Amino acid sequence: MSVNEELSGLEELLWKANREGDGAFYQRYLRDDAIAVSRFGIIDKATAVPGITANHNPYLKTVRTGERVIVVDEHTAVVTYHVDVTVLVDGNEVQAPSYASTVWTKASGEWLVAFHQQTALYGGQ
């Protein structure tokens, strides 16, 4: 399997875990020092994992398009794409399209997330 295929698959599994409230997946695949940046601010792993698990505003649908994988070196890569998210907020389905990027690092033969960024395109969640 190529790096592109492996990271694309992992990226899809991250979104699936988000949809399903699977914080254990994030616990495993986020580095301990990982951070995410979005319109809600900067969050670390200690905040992200319980938030995913609580799943207060579940993501119902996440469709990624225009994905690009940039391999920096054998231990670092960036995955970037457009994602159309449908999220449930107060019982209403809300569209939340964004651009997203994830920096992956490889340690002990396993890819882990070091950084994730989402830029909301308009309105939404």
Side-chain angles (χ1 to χ4, degrees):
M1 177 183 308
S2 73
V3 171
N4 290 30
E5 292 168 330
E6 186 175 6
L7 292 179
S8 182
L10 284 170
E11 199 74 34
E12 180 53 36
L13 289 174
L14 283 171
W15 285 100
K16 180 180 183 218
N18 195 313
R19 291 189 305 267
E20 296 175 355
D22 184 0
F25 187 88
Y26 277 76
Q27 180 66 39
R28 177 177 176 197
Y29 283 97
L30 296 182
R31 288 170 41 126
D32 288 340
D33 60 350
I35 61 169
V37 177
S38 74
R39 65 188 274 179
F40 302 108
I42 299 171
I43 62 170
D44 58 13
K45 180 178 180 176
T47 303
V49 171
I52 294 294
T53 302
N55 207 15
H56 292 297
N57 293 311
Y59 285 12
L60 305 175
K61 185 175 174 185
T62 54
V63 178
R64 295 178 300 124
T65 56
E67 183 175 274
R68 293 176 59 190
V69 178
I70 301 162
V71 178
V72 177
D73 61 33
E74 63 199 57
H75 302 288
T76 310
V78 179
V79 181
T80 187
Y81 49 87
H82 176 269
V83 60
D84 282 314
V85 177
T86 303
V87 62
L88 193 61
V89 178
D90 298 325
N92 298 308
E93 290 187 14
V94 176
Q95 302 306 309
S98 299
Y99 285 116
S101 298
T102 308
V103 177
W104 292 87
T105 60
K106 195 169 198 178
S108 301
E110 185 169 51
W111 287 103
L112 301 174
V113 173
F115 177 81
H116 180 78
Q117 165 276 325
Q118 280 181 244
T119 302
L121 296 178
Y122 54 86
Q125 58 177 348

